[in-house]
Every structure is written in C-alpha cells, then in structure tokens.
Amino acid sequence: MTGIQFAGASSGIYGISQYSIDNTTGITLNSGASNIKSPGRESSPAECETCSNRKYKDGSDEMVSFKAATHISPNSASAAVRSHEQEHVSNAYKDASLNNGKVLSATVSIHTDVCPECGRSYVSGGTTATQIKYYNEDNPYQQDLKKADAMKYQGMNVNLAV
C-alpha cells in the first residue's frame, strides 16, 4: 500500500465563505475561509493556525509528488491528494506493462478528518492499494501449464466445410 499522509497536526478542506478579517485579532491565516467560530472550538477556520500550517508528505518508496512535506491550501487539498493517488495507480499500470504483468485491481481511498482547533472537515490523506499479477515465462511450472492448456483447448472448436 502506498499513499499520501499529512505531516504535522492535520490537513484541510472546507466550503468557501466570503473573505473577511476577524475584528478581534485582525489576523486572517486562511483567506477565503469562514470567520465564524463554532461552539467549543478554539478558533474560526479563517484564523486556524493548525489548518494554515498543515503539510502533506508521501510515505511510499515510489518516485511521486510530495516526497518532501508540502503545504497545500485547504481549498485544494482534495484535488491534490486525488491527483497524487492517481500517480500511484499510473505507476502500477506502467510497472505491469514493463514487466509482463497485469493489474488485477487498483483501489484508492481518500481519508478525511476534522480539525481539532476550528472544526473544519479536511482531507487528511489517501491510500492506494494495487494488485499486479506477473507472468514468468521462464518458470517450468508456467510452461507446463501452457502445454496442458494447449492440449485441453486443441480441437474444441472445429469448423468443417460441408
């Protein structure tokens, strides 16, 4: 399994509200986010330090994006994570085609979470799981299987002209 995970406290996606600055502090860390503070939360999404400092990093050994921890805007995290996970799927198909294999399945899961500071829902990462079947023509068992299949199917379909 491979995928992208958040590095740091959390990650972010939220419905875009109008841009505004909170009058109490005058600080807006996440432009375009709501400045309404939810009950029981430390800050509004516009002021959330956790969301503004959230970084994503890939934990796989493949050559894909996000090898170094990178900040993604909370508004574009979903698209960035989906695009990154698609890189893993593309790599699986490329690997299968180069090594005489076949991709049996490729499953992508996108993970979400809730920011503990502001209550915003966000995409916290993704996971890609692939299964590839490789054919080994040099294996004597594979060669015997091909011979057995050839004998089994030989003569099954006969076209005779009458």
Side-chain angles (χ1 to χ4, degrees):
M1 279 198 198
T2 55
I4 188 172
Q5 298 134 0
F6 65 93
S10 330
S11 330
I13 264 288
Y14 190 73
I16 299 175
S17 300
Q18 69 184 46
Y19 175 81
S20 62
I21 297 176
D22 186 4
N23 293 331
T24 58
T25 62
I27 299 171
T28 298
L29 298 174
N30 301 306
S31 62
S34 172
N35 66 345
I36 299 170
K37 182 179 168 184
S38 298
R41 299 295 178 180
E42 296 175 24
S43 66
S44 70
E47 297 177 323
C48 183
E49 200 168 319
T50 302
C51 290
S52 67
N53 293 329
R54 185 170 296 119
K55 294 185 178 186
Y56 292 82
K57 182 177 180 180
D58 179 69
S60 71
D61 57 355
E62 289 185 65
M63 291 306 300
V64 290
S65 58
F66 299 108
K67 292 317 270 181
T70 307
H71 173 72
I72 303 173
S73 154
N75 298 330
S76 60
S78 176
V81 169
R82 283 182 291 161
S83 173
H84 171 83
E85 296 306 324
Q86 184 58 42
E87 288 181 60
H88 288 293
V89 173
S90 297
N91 285 350
Y93 276 94
K94 180 180 164 188
D95 184 45
S97 68
L98 293 175
N99 296 311
N100 193 23
K102 177 182 177 184
V103 175
L104 299 176
S105 73
T107 306
V108 173
S109 300
I110 304 297
H111 310 289
T112 59
D113 211 342
V114 176
C115 178
E117 184 178 341
C118 67
R120 172 191 296 203
S121 307
Y122 66 93
V123 173
S124 59
T127 307
T128 300
T130 58
Q131 284 185 320
I132 304 173
K133 179 179 180 181
Y134 293 100
Y135 300 99
N136 184 357
E137 300 296 330
D138 298 331
N139 184 344
Y141 296 107
Q142 183 72 23
Q143 291 174 355
D144 287 344
L145 183 61
K146 282 185 138 188
K147 288 177 188 173
D149 282 346
M151 287 188 286
K152 181 169 60 173
Y153 294 120
Q154 198 171 29
M156 282 185 85
N157 298 316
V158 179
N159 292 328
L160 298 175
V162 180

